[in-house]
């Protein structure tokens, strides 16, 4: 940029709005165009500087990409050489029925890949278990619903009993008042 900007500004193209009308089209001409290739005369040897600058910039970018790729490759290589188990985990599917136990699979892979198998974990088809769990949840919901209905019924019974006891207490009070002569039957009715 330090070389190209002054080179373009002094490019001798004497760029102005009337000269660049066809080149720029409908864009407004500004002083910015004096700092671009538009200000360099056609066929001028100064255009070779732009070509060289493009090759130089491409070379710098490619070099930086290679440096970054080497750094990435080094980090990835160290990561893959680490002893983390998830780097050596293999998922094997469609195992024949006669080999569907941990011991048989371990023996098979130890025979095929000696000293390479650390452990074997079997994942089973759990659809039947999931259906049993759904049935269990449905049954628990029914039981909870029945317990709620039972609690409400018992609560109503207790509420009715407390009302009955309150009435009995009030009747006893009335009969006491009657016997004392404070209240007579006509006033209660």
């Amino acid at each position: 940029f330090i070389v190209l900007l002054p080179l373009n500004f002094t490019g001798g193209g004497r760029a102005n709005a009337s000269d660049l009308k066809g080149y720029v089209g409908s864009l407004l001409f500004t002083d910015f165009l004096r700092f671009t290739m538009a200000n360099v005369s056609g066929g001028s040897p100064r255009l070779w500087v732009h070509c060289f600058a493009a090759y130089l910039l491409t070379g710098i970018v490619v070099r930086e990409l290679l440096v970054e790729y080497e750094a990435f490759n080094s980090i990835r290589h160290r990561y893959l050489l680490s002893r983390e188990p998830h780097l050596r985990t293999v998922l094997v599917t469609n195992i024949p029925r006669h080999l569907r136990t941990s011991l048989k699979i371990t023996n098979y892979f130890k025979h095929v890949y000696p000293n390479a198998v650390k452990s074997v974990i079997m994942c089973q088809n759990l659809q039947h278990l999931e259906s049993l769990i759904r049935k269990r949840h449905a049954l628990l919901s029914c039981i909870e619903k029945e317990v709620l209905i039972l609690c409400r019924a018992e609560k109503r019974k207790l509420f009715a009993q407390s009302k009955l006891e309150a009435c009995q207490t009030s009747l006893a009070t009335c009969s006491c008042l009657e016997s004392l002569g404070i209240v007579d039957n006509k006033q209660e009715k």
Side-chain angles (χ1 to χ4, degrees):
F1 290 119
I2 295 172
V3 174
L4 290 179
L5 290 178
L7 182 79
N8 290 337
F9 188 74
T10 61
R14 306 276 184 243
N16 56 38
S18 61
D19 294 339
L20 297 174
K21 188 173 184 181
Y23 180 75
V24 182
S26 64
L27 293 176
L28 288 174
F29 178 75
T30 62
D31 287 335
F32 174 73
L33 287 177
R34 286 195 173 105
F35 291 99
T36 64
M37 273 179 58
N39 197 30
V40 178
S41 302
S44 171
R46 293 181 182 218
L47 292 175
W48 286 105
V49 176
H50 289 91
C51 180
F52 176 73
Y55 276 107
L56 181 66
L57 183 64
T58 302
I60 291 170
V61 169
V62 168
R63 182 186 166 280
E64 289 299 317
L65 285 174
L66 286 174
V67 167
E68 289 301 317
Y69 178 72
E70 289 298 322
F72 165 76
N73 223 6
S74 172
I75 292 169
R76 186 173 190 271
H77 187 70
R78 279 183 282 150
Y79 175 73
L80 291 176
L81 288 178
S82 66
R83 296 274 180 187
E84 297 181 35
H86 71 274
L87 297 175
R88 300 181 312 274
T89 301
V90 178
L91 174 67
V92 181
T93 59
N94 298 328
I95 298 172
R97 287 204 178 274
H98 67 279
L99 291 177
R100 289 188 185 174
T101 64
S102 294
L103 182 62
K104 288 181 181 178
I105 291 291
T106 304
N107 291 336
Y108 174 76
F109 279 110
K110 282 187 177 181
H111 176 70
V112 175
Y113 304 106
N115 300 324
V117 178
K118 183 175 179 179
S119 66
V120 173
I121 298 173
M122 296 291 293
C123 297
Q124 302 293 326
N125 184 358
L126 301 176
Q127 290 177 351
H128 179 65
L129 180 61
E130 289 174 358
S131 69
L132 290 175
I133 290 172
R134 280 193 296 272
K135 288 178 185 177
R136 177 183 176 268
H137 283 295
L139 184 62
L140 283 175
S141 295
C142 289
I143 290 172
E144 288 174 357
K145 184 178 176 183
E146 293 299 323
V147 167
L148 182 64
I149 291 170
L150 182 64
C151 286
R152 285 182 182 165
E154 289 298 317
K155 187 176 180 181
R156 283 189 202 118
K157 285 181 187 177
L158 288 173
F159 187 70
Q161 284 179 355
S162 65
K163 279 187 174 181
L164 182 63
E165 288 173 1
C167 287
Q168 288 174 348
T169 307
S170 64
L171 286 177
T173 307
C174 286
S175 62
C176 287
L177 291 175
E178 234 176 67
S179 64
L180 291 174
I182 299 171
V183 177
D184 59 353
N185 285 336
K186 292 179 183 175
Q187 288 177 340
E188 287 180 357
K189 295 179 181 176

